[in-house]
Amino acid sequence: MKALAARLRERRWVWSFAGALVVWLITVISAGGRGAGATLTAGLGFAAFYVMAGMGQMLVVAAGPGNIDLSIPAVMTLAGYLAIGAMHGDPSMLWLGIVVVLAVGGSVGLINVGLIKIARVPPMVATLSAGFIMQSITIAYSKTTTAKPPGILMQFAVGRTMGIPWIAIVLIVAAAILGLVMSRSVFGRDLLAVGQSERAAYLAGIPTRRITTIVYVASSLLAAVTGLLLAAYSGGAALDMSSDFLLMSIAVVVIGGTSITGGRVSAAGIWGGSLFLYLMSTMLNVLGLGAGVRYGLTGVIIIAVLALSEDHAPI
Amino acid sequence: MSDTPPLVVMSGISKNFGRVRALASVDLAIGAADLVGIVGHNGAGKSSLMAVLRGTVARDEGRFLVDGREVAADYDVRQARAFGIRSVFQELSLCPTLTVAENTRLSHRDLKGWGWRSAARRVIGKALDTIFPNHGILLDAVVEDLSASARQMVEVARAFSILSMPPRLVILDEPTSALDAQAAHQFLNYIVRSRENGISCLLISHRLKEIVDHTDRVIVMRDGRVVDERRASGLSPEQLVEAMGVMAQASETAVAQLRPGGSGRAKPAAQIENAVLAHDARSRGGRIAFTAKAGEIVGLAGLDGHGQKQLLQAIFRSALGPADAGLRVDAEAAYVSGDRRAEGIFPLWSISENLTVSLLKGIARFGLVSARDEEAAAREWRSRLGIKTPDVRSPILSLSGGNQQKVLIARALATDARIILLDDPMRGVDVSSKREMFDHIRHEAADGKCFVLYTTETEELINCDRIYVYYQGEITAEIPRHELSEERVLAASFGRAEEASDAAA
């Protein structure tokens, strides 16, 4: 029993999958056994977008206390609008869309890093205010465009094989790679070291500034790609398309077992957390409960996860 | 007298942390006005016993009486304070963003209402003036602006400050390790004086001479047990070392073999002509330039906070990027800090992960590190430095402080760095581990590495080939090992360089 408890403490992500399973079972049972597979595959599809943004958030959170990226939703919408607008529905302009996504993601990431590391603005304030500026650019730009995404991109975003969304397959692979990078690569170790103690990491010879730069840029890049794919999925960019992602990108990471104070991550847990939160909202819909209940429950669950999972042992 | 029960009686106290037996049926009695020293290697159970006494750790078994009455099962820090039991922590517990006076309020809750601030200032000021005359600490200074030594002085003064509930027993866990020599002296004299006011002290220290000179009796702990108790008068530090275990002596002979008298083994150093490290501060008015060669152990001495740490940090910074003005660094550098909690360990990780973090690039294949390579490297260093753990995959926090420090030293030695910067690296390390590590450091130096050691303990300087003494950011003396004497270091530490070198010449 003790060994099992220790293993569960190591593998915190198991809980998020267990939660997702329970929520899914309740949904299926209360719907009289119908739509079990459809609920799950739809869940995979939607959860994949949370996972994509959540991976970036996880990297940032891993960098230690105070590190958080609140510009994710604004980057998503801006990248979605600018990239779809640049391609203007033309499949041969796909490269331009990708360039725009990389440019938006890269530059916002660098702005965040500059604000945090050079101007010494706390990450929460820096990314939030960078987000506001992006949002205002998006609003100005959105008035001039009503472009549709190129067909090929839409097909990719909604494509399925045997009912499983392509995007979900890509992100399962991506999460597996991220998991390997975090546990076994030099970069992953360096990041986890910075997250536990930036001072100790610096004195151990780790290039702390480079690590911080990489995670913020990676987070913005992932957010930009998420924005493009979400716009393609829904047939065009919309100003409110990412409003969920501010809270969700943080919630899926925390529920998945990543420590909010940094230094401990779980890439698999992002999938568990995303599936759990998506399936929970499905369940509440099936049970006839609205968005208000969903937000309330999400909040309670995050508090419960933090209260139960963080180690209270003194260092 | 016989009807007054002793202040504290503990009998048969046991405590386990997981599978580790920290305390095995310990008996301890402390009377009023009783000065008791406790010695033992790291992991002997000293800190655990103190934690039970001050209420931060609950005992598993045993009886615990204060004033003759059994303490409640939920005994905690608050109740301990109500009994007048106070602590000075080995790791500083002041809040860095608050002032000296505000920190006083934190542990003295009866400083409240209008004017608490001036009351706090008065209380702490009085304690500081009594214990450390001419301390020069501003009571409205923010703690993080103070030197480590000044912070420790505040910590000590806070524990001894007198309010409605005066201290009756003060637990002192390595109180002098962060104090400079003069303050340590003042403090130790104070605890002897305070006995006249009925205050008892429990003194834990690795500086055995302090204990022998300033306590009534000494308790020796080993492997979670009290193995010996002696009267302090007439006791010598050597006898104490003997009582603590035999390991230390074996190491002593090794020291003697490696280090014949005289200016010592300079052969490997002489083959390499150029300094790998040079710092010329003469342009800023300093008289002596700092150099260090491969194969050398160079010591930095002087009172704490006089520029030694700044030099170490400047060397480290310059090894990574563009060099600071006046500084030449010709090799990679690694840094070992004695402040392991803030600047050393990664608390969530295993021993192995902590040890290998700086050499991952070297053992990675295609950017990935295999657990097997990593643990093999960790096991190798475990046996080289004698890190006491059955499994390198155990959490770093399962090790005692001294063993954690060995891991940090191994981390630095395992890298390719030829310059190893040691920033008070033996803080809280017991005598025999310390000797083992210095033996190892000398071997590594003989193989061509260059060590720069800053230490607050004068006796560690004997391991150095040359010693630079700092005073107010400048080097006031350069002392070769064969001329090393405590008087010379002390004279130069107070800026009396000329007299010191004249005396030597």
Side-chain angles (χ1 to χ4, degrees):
Chain A
M1 268 317 278
K2 252 187 177 164
L4 181 72
R7 282 179 81 91
L8 279 177
R9 231 184 345 260
E10 286 267 297
R11 300 187 167 71
R12 292 148 184 261
W13 52 270
V14 170
W15 296 110
S16 57
F17 282 97
L21 183 68
V22 168
V23 168
W24 176 68
L25 285 175
I26 295 173
T27 313
V28 172
I29 289 164
S30 54
R34 276 165 296 140
T39 309
L40 199 59
T41 52
L44 284 172
F46 281 103
F49 289 105
Y50 290 151
V51 172
M52 214 183 307
M55 290 198 311
Q57 188 71 270
M58 184 191 85
L59 288 171
V60 170
V61 167
N67 281 303
I68 199 153
D69 188 353
L70 300 182
S71 67
I72 286 175
V75 173
M76 285 173 61
T77 326
L78 180 63
Y81 264 105
L82 290 182
I84 300 286
M87 292 182 290
H88 223 87
D90 182 353
S92 67
M93 298 296 274
L94 194 59
W95 65 271
L96 185 64
I98 291 168
V99 167
V100 168
V101 162
L102 296 180
V104 171
S107 51
V108 178
L110 288 174
I111 290 168
N112 284 340
V113 174
L115 289 173
I116 294 162
K117 285 286 157 186
I118 299 166
R120 297 263 154 212
V121 182
M124 200 180 280
V125 180
T127 56
L128 193 65
S129 36
F132 276 127
I133 296 166
M134 299 309 135
Q135 220 172 351
S136 111
I137 299 172
T138 314
I139 290 169
Y141 181 77
S142 68
K143 293 183 178 132
T144 68
T145 178
T146 51
K148 290 267 170 249
I152 182 173
L153 199 61
M154 286 176 79
Q155 282 154 23
F156 173 73
V158 300
R160 282 159 183 259
T161 299
M162 293 187 300
I164 301 169
W166 291 350
I167 291 193
I169 296 169
V170 170
L171 276 143
I172 288 169
V173 174
I177 293 173
L178 182 63
L180 184 71
V181 164
M182 289 312 297
S183 63
R184 288 276 137 233
S185 78
V186 179
F187 164 76
R189 284 299 181 78
D190 286 358
L191 171 56
L192 295 178
V194 171
Q196 291 175 70
S197 169
E198 189 167 354
R199 178 81 187 144
Y202 167 75
L203 292 175
I206 291 167
T208 55
R209 187 172 282 224
R210 192 194 307 160
I211 299 284
T212 318
T213 307
I214 290 172
V215 293
Y216 276 97
V217 171
S219 176
S220 284
L221 284 173
L222 281 162
V225 175
T226 314
L228 173 68
L229 288 175
L230 193 60
Y233 183 85
S234 20
L239 279 176
D240 62 349
M241 70 180 190
S242 64
S243 53
D244 242 9
F245 279 74
L246 182 62
L247 291 175
M248 284 303 177
S249 67
I250 301 167
V252 297
V253 166
V254 173
I255 292 175
T258 293
S259 168
I260 195 74
T261 50
R264 171 157 38 212
V265 298
S266 171
I270 306 177
W271 260 110
S274 300
L275 281 172
F276 173 69
L277 286 181
Y278 177 78
L279 291 172
M280 188 176 73
S281 71
T282 314
M283 176 189 80
L284 296 174
N285 281 335
V286 170
L287 298 176
L289 300 165
V293 178
R294 184 183 138 210
Y295 284 131
L297 263 182
T298 311
V300 170
I301 287 162
I302 293 175
I303 293 169
V305 166
L306 287 180
L308 293 176
S309 73
E310 293 296 310
D311 296 318
H312 297 292
I315 290 168
Chain B
M1 273 313 280
S2 60
D3 55 344
T4 323
L7 179 55
V8 169
V9 176
M10 293 173 126
S11 60
I13 297 284
S14 297
K15 177 73 202 174
N16 294 326
F17 291 107
R19 266 177 293 173
V20 180
R21 195 149 179 78
L23 293 174
S25 192
V26 171
D27 299 336
L28 176 73
I30 302 161
D34 201 359
L35 295 183
V36 183
I38 300 188
V39 298
H41 294 306
N42 288 306
K46 306 177 303 269
S47 296
S48 302
L49 184 61
M50 295 308 105
V52 171
L53 186 54
R54 75 164 84 93
T56 48
V57 162
R59 65 194 186 278
D60 291 341
E61 288 163 37
R63 273 161 62 82
F64 181 5
L65 295 89
V66 178
D67 294 332
R69 290 217 305 272
E70 191 96 27
V71 301
D74 62 345
Y75 179 73
D76 61 8
V77 180
R78 255 156 90 122
Q79 293 178 40
R81 291 196 69 83
F83 288 132
I85 299 174
R86 299 187 186 173
S87 304
V88 172
F89 293 96
Q90 186 176 359
E91 269 120 6
L92 300 159
S93 67
L94 299 175
C95 182
T97 54
L98 298 181
T99 66
V100 173
E102 286 161 351
N103 266 291
T104 309
R105 163 68 182 78
L106 289 183
S107 58
H108 295 294
R109 303 202 153 255
D110 35 357
L111 289 168
K112 58 192 169 196
W114 287 103
W116 67 265
R117 206 178 283 269
S118 52
R121 231 179 267 138
R122 204 164 50 237
V123 166
I124 190 76
K126 190 167 171 229
L128 278 169
D129 291 343
T130 313
I131 306 172
F132 305 106
N134 308 319
H135 51 83
I137 296 169
L138 295 175
L139 303 180
D140 289 319
V142 174
V143 164
E144 65 188 348
D145 295 337
L146 299 177
S147 73
S149 186
R151 266 183 267 172
Q152 184 69 7
M153 285 154 83
V154 173
E155 174 104 29
V156 163
R158 188 171 71 160
F160 280 95
S161 50
I162 292 156
L163 281 121
S164 56
M165 180 69 228
R168 295 168 68 203
L169 169 64
V170 183
I171 300 167
L172 302 158
D173 193 347
E174 297 287 346
T176 57
S177 63
L179 291 177
D180 60 51
Q182 193 197 358
H185 186 69
Q186 291 174 327
F187 169 65
L188 291 165
N189 287 335
Y190 175 77
I191 63 168
V192 174
R193 269 186 286 140
S194 68
R195 177 173 48 184
E196 283 151 30
N197 302 324
I199 299 176
S200 304
C201 285
L202 266 180
L203 175 62
I204 296 179
S205 178
H206 286 118
R207 299 177 179 175
L208 302 177
K209 198 159 165 20
E210 280 179 7
I211 293 205
V212 172
D213 291 351
H214 298 93
T215 62
D216 302 326
R217 59 199 169 100
V218 186
I219 287 168
V220 182
M221 291 189 75
R222 196 195 305 156
D223 301 327
R225 296 168 196 278
V226 173
V227 293
D228 204 352
E229 181 172 342
R230 308 224 183 157
R231 291 190 55 78
S233 67
L235 197 62
S236 73
E238 290 72 29
Q239 286 169 308
L240 265 186
V241 170
E242 211 171 298
M244 281 160 61
V246 284
M247 276 155 38
Q249 284 189 322
S251 181
E252 182 93 272
T253 52
V255 173
Q257 282 165 2
L258 235 159
R259 279 218 166 269
S263 63
R265 161 204 52 75
K267 276 176 206 148
Q271 288 165 354
I272 299 161
E273 289 295 329
N274 289 330
V276 284
L277 253 175
H279 184 219
D280 196 347
R282 283 174 297 187
S283 54
R284 291 189 295 123
R287 285 180 299 267
I288 303 169
F290 171 93
T291 59
K293 298 187 193 73
E296 263 192 324
I297 304 172
V298 176
L300 305 179
L303 300 179
D304 188 44
H306 279 254
Q308 303 95 330
K309 253 176 220 250
Q310 280 87 333
L311 176 70
L312 291 181
Q313 281 166 6
I315 294 169
F316 186 67
R317 195 166 54 234
S318 304
L320 287 174
D324 287 21
L327 191 59
R328 209 188 83 217
V329 181
D330 292 347
E332 276 179 62
Y335 198 104
V336 181
S337 170
D339 188 356
R340 53 185 169 272
R341 198 158 72 153
E343 304 190 323
I345 58 162
F346 300 108
L348 300 176
W349 276 356
S350 69
I351 296 162
S352 161
E353 286 167 316
N354 266 284
L355 201 155
T356 56
V357 65
S358 297
L359 58 103
L360 291 178
K361 259 199 197 104
I363 60 174
R365 273 173 280 192
F366 307 107
L368 296 182
V369 183
S370 90
R372 199 162 11 124
D373 292 351
E374 198 182 341
E375 281 156 23
R379 272 194 293 271
E380 191 195 324
W381 282 98
R382 172 182 64 180
S383 58
R384 274 202 221 174
L385 288 193
I387 299 165
K388 287 190 188 68
T389 177
D391 189 349
V392 292
R393 288 169 298 182
S394 311
I396 184 80
L397 294 180
S398 70
L399 293 180
S400 67
N403 278 297
Q404 290 179 20
Q405 207 59 40
K406 284 186 185 174
V407 172
L408 297 184
I409 289 178
R411 183 197 285 171
L413 293 177
T415 63
D416 296 333
R418 286 178 61 216
I419 301 168
I420 313 280
L421 306 165
L422 303 168
D423 176 0
D424 210 0
M426 307 293 176
R427 219 193 275 178
V429 175
D430 65 75
V431 181
S432 72
S433 304
K434 203 185 269 191
R435 282 181 186 158
E436 280 167 39
M437 275 191 273
F438 275 120
D439 283 352
H440 199 86
I441 285 169
R442 275 191 299 268
H443 278 291
E444 293 271 351
D447 287 344
K449 285 194 175 167
C450 166
F451 290 85
V452 184
L453 168 72
Y454 167 52
T455 173
T456 49
E457 304 206 21
T458 318
E459 65 214 54
E460 287 179 19
L461 293 172
I462 202 152
N463 296 290
C464 301
D465 297 298
R466 281 181 301 123
I467 290 112
Y468 291 103
V469 186
Y470 271 76
Y471 177 67
Q472 295 187 342
E474 277 173 24
I475 296 170
T476 48
E478 178 181 351
I479 308 174
R481 200 182 66 91
H482 64 277
E483 288 174 20
L484 176 65
S485 72
E486 189 149 9
E487 295 74 50
R488 261 195 90 180
V489 173
L490 218 56
S493 300
F494 290 95
R496 305 203 305 268
E498 267 97 305
E499 299 154 48
S501 48
D502 289 350

